[in-house]
């Protein structure tokens, strides 16, 4: 029997996928549950596994090419004798166009479902004697001379990822930066966030097609522009915040993590700002998941999510954030790590930006744009002049469920927390 390999839907918004690489070559033996190829979805690179045992007879869509979700991209023959038959079938496909797009047998990967696995639920397959690792992890392990048998995978069901290999090789461990978390014996090295290094060389006068991530951003932004939104700006004194940041920065805490924590704590008292519109109703989210916009080296942006940020201490939050950023730029995030945000933070203050408007992400009710903190000459209530550091924030809200007074009340409470009660963020 001959089986098709379909282009899977790796996210709810994905309409087509780009093949990054084939882990198998035509004629290779394929085990059920074994990784056959790596597909670039709109936000991440994901392994695609075979649901059948046999031989990879023919590849119909080469690496670097795109294909619609549900279309056939390769054929697997159950026996070697059927390989020629599969190749003839592929020629018929290619000669008369690909077979009609159908719903693939693979279930779409959603934030609440796990990707397909190898059929072995033991940690990285050690119980069966087989190492379960992504093709990139295997390739990287050879380059860095890392024994995969010694690693504990951080991917779904213990799968070893490229990030696990890098961590084992010591590439992402910071030098001398530790955090205490307030408890003895819990000092853990924090990997530094890698700077953005554009991977695509820009040639003046050249027209370059959008990559998969950039197409997804365009699609989401166009959908967001159909939502009636409004903006509310607020100026926050940051003397207390800056002082706290300087105290805990040596322990590995980032300003982004501090802001995310403050936002999450404030959202607990403003559930409507953490809500979203859903078919003429307000959907109140049970979790406070702060998504943070991150620029990608090859264009576009992604929003890694700090889930239950209100329940995490600032040190754990910073560790999680740095890990998410590192893996987002190497396209190693799982769907639930970038698609479950309930509120978004966009921080351009690090670039010296004073203020800006942010476009509301699809499926959320609010996004907060944060500018840089700068010294300003201001007058107090008695008319006395003085210099204070201030930053401007600007919330974009869905006016179908959130009103001006509600957005303003949220910003007022956020300002009060950052101006007078910053020490509570470290508890």
């Amino acid at each position: 029997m001959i089986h098709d390999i379909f282009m899977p839907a790796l996210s709810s918004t994905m309409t087509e996928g780009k093949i990054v690489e084939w882990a198998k070559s035509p004629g290779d033996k394929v085990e059920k549950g074994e990784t056959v190829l790596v597909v670039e979805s709109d936000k991440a690179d994901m392994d695609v596994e075979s649901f059948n045992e046999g031989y990879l007879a023919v590849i119909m869509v080469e690496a670097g090419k795109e294909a619609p979700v549900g279309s056939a991209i390769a054929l697997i023959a159950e026996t070697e004798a059927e390989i020629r038959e599969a190749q003839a079938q592929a020629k018929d496909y290619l000669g008369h166009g690909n077979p009609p797009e159908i719903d693939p047998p693979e279930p779409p990967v959603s934030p609440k479902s796990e990707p397909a696995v190898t059929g072995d639920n033991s940690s990285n397959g050690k119980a069966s004697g087989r190492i379960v690792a992504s093709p990139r992890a295997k390739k990287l392990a050879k380059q860095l001379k890392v024994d995969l048998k010694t690693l504990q995978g951080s991917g779904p069901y213990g799968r070893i990822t490229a990030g696990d290999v890098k961590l084992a090789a010591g590439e992402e461990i910071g030098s001398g930066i530790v955090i205490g978390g307030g408890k003895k014996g819990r000092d853990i090295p924090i990997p530094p966030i890698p700077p953005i290094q554009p991977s695509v060389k820009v040639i003046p006068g050249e027209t370059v097609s959008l990559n998969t991530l950039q197409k997804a951003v365009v699609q989401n932004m166009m959908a967001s522009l159909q939502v009636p939104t409004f903006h509310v700006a607020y100026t926050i004194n940051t003397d207390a915040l800056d002082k706290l940041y300087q105290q805990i920065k040596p322990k590995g805490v980032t300003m982004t993590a501090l802001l995310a924590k403050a936002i999450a704590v404030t959202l607990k008292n403003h559930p409507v700002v953490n809500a979203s519109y859903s078919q003429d109703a307000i959907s109140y989210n049970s979790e406070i998941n702060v998504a943070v916009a991150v620029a990608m080296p090859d264009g576009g942006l992604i929003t890694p999510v700090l889930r239950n940020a209100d329940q995490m201490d600032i040190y754990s939050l910073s560790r999680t954030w740095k890990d998410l950023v590192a893996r987002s730029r190497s396209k190693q995030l799982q769907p639930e790590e970038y698609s479950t945000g309930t509120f978004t933070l966009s921080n351009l203050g690090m670039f010296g930006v004073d203020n800006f408007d942010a476009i509301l992400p699809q499926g959320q009710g609010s996004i907060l744009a944060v500018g840089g903190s700068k010294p300003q000459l201001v007058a107090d209530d008695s008319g006395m002049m003085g210099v204070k550091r201030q930053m401007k924030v600007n919330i974009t809200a869905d006016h179908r469920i959130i009103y001006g007074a509600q957005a303003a009340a949220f910003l007022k409470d956020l300002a009060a927390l950052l101006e007078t009660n910053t020490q509570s963020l470290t508890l």
Side-chain angles (χ1 to χ4, degrees):
M1 185 177 292
I2 299 171
H3 303 279
D4 297 75
I5 297 179
F6 297 99
M7 175 63 71
L10 302 178
S11 72
S12 60
T13 60
M14 180 176 168
T15 59
E16 62 181 18
K18 179 180 179 181
I19 298 175
V20 177
E21 63 175 318
W22 285 93
K24 294 287 185 178
S25 300
D28 286 354
K29 185 75 169 65
V30 176
E31 302 290 341
K32 184 178 180 180
E34 186 176 10
T35 295
V36 181
L37 72 155
V38 179
V39 171
E40 178 186 69
S41 70
D42 50 0
K43 298 291 176 68
D45 291 352
M46 302 287 287
D47 294 352
V48 176
E49 300 168 347
S50 174
F51 278 70
N52 304 99
E53 181 180 345
Y55 298 85
L56 182 59
V58 60
I59 293 174
M60 294 186 289
V61 181
E62 298 293 335
K65 302 294 184 180
E66 296 182 348
V69 167
S71 63
I73 55 178
L75 298 177
I76 288 182
E78 287 190 354
T79 65
E80 289 186 273
E82 293 175 318
I83 292 180
R84 288 187 177 276
E85 180 184 347
Q87 292 173 341
Q89 183 175 324
K91 288 181 181 179
D92 184 62
Y93 279 174
L94 297 174
H96 299 85
N98 220 330
E101 293 179 23
I102 62 174
D103 292 333
E106 297 91 344
V109 177
S110 68
K112 296 184 179 179
S113 65
E114 294 290 348
V117 296
T118 62
D120 176 10
N121 289 348
S122 59
S123 177
N124 72 348
K126 290 180 182 179
S128 63
R130 184 160 59 90
I131 300 299
V132 181
S134 69
R136 289 189 175 186
K138 294 177 181 178
K139 183 177 180 180
L140 197 60
K142 290 181 180 179
Q143 295 174 348
L144 300 178
K145 298 181 179 180
V146 173
D147 186 359
L148 292 176
K149 295 180 181 178
T150 65
L151 302 187
Q152 182 71 31
S154 63
Y157 290 84
R159 171 174 300 233
I160 298 172
T161 67
D164 297 325
V165 176
K166 290 181 180 180
L167 191 62
E171 281 198 353
E172 296 184 8
I173 297 296
S175 56
I177 302 179
V178 297
I179 64 174
K183 293 185 179 180
K184 187 176 181 180
R186 291 185 59 190
D187 288 351
I188 301 173
I190 295 184
I193 296 178
I196 301 175
Q197 298 292 341
S199 59
V200 179
K201 185 177 181 180
V202 177
I203 302 176
E206 184 181 30
T207 299
V208 181
S209 299
L210 296 178
N211 60 34
T212 307
L213 175 58
Q214 289 170 321
K215 289 179 181 178
V217 172
V218 170
Q219 180 182 351
N220 291 338
M221 293 301 100
M222 293 302 295
S224 295
L225 291 177
Q226 304 303 312
V227 176
T229 60
F230 67 97
H231 305 273
V232 178
Y234 208 99
T235 300
I236 300 175
N237 293 328
T238 63
D239 289 334
L241 176 64
D242 293 333
K243 182 179 179 180
L244 174 64
Y245 177 56
Q246 293 304 320
Q247 290 174 353
I248 59 180
K249 180 181 179 181
K251 297 181 180 180
V253 176
T254 67
M255 179 57 76
T256 296
L258 265 176
L259 292 172
K261 175 68 173 179
I263 288 169
V265 170
T266 307
L267 284 173
K268 293 174 67 175
N269 296 321
H270 297 271
V272 70
V273 182
N274 190 52
S276 58
Y277 176 83
S278 178
Q279 298 180 343
D280 293 331
I282 300 176
S283 179
Y284 291 101
N285 294 297
S286 59
E287 297 180 346
I288 297 177
N289 300 335
V290 180
V292 186
V294 173
M296 295 292 281
D298 55 351
L301 59 85
I302 193 170
T303 53
V305 178
L306 291 163
R307 302 190 67 175
N308 296 306
D310 58 312
Q311 301 175 22
M312 299 176 67
D313 64 81
I314 189 61
Y315 304 103
S316 298
L317 199 68
S318 291
R319 285 199 302 271
T320 301
W321 173 239
K322 291 184 178 183
D323 172 64
L324 287 170
V325 172
R327 290 191 293 114
S328 67
R329 290 179 179 163
S330 60
K331 296 185 177 181
Q332 296 296 317
L333 293 182
Q334 296 299 313
E336 65 271 14
E337 293 179 311
Y338 59 76
S339 61
T340 54
T342 60
F343 184 101
T344 296
L345 163 65
S346 182
N347 180 14
L348 292 181
M350 63 190 77
F351 298 104
V353 173
D354 291 322
N355 61 83
F356 65 102
D357 293 338
I359 298 177
L360 182 70
Q362 191 174 10
Q364 294 182 26
S366 306
I367 180 173
L368 187 68
V370 178
S373 174
K374 298 180 179 180
Q376 303 286 346
L377 183 63
V378 296
D380 60 21
D381 293 338
S382 63
M384 298 296 293
M385 301 296 291
V387 175
K388 291 186 177 181
R389 295 190 65 88
Q390 295 182 329
M391 71 177 181
K392 295 180 180 179
V393 299
N394 191 349
I395 192 171
T396 302
D398 185 343
H399 214 329
R400 293 174 297 183
I401 59 173
I402 303 170
Y403 302 101
Q406 294 168 318
F410 165 77
L411 293 179
K412 181 179 179 181
D413 286 354
L414 177 64
L417 173 62
L418 294 177
E419 292 176 351
T420 63
N421 196 23
T422 53
Q423 289 297 326
S424 65
L425 298 176
T426 63
L427 300 178

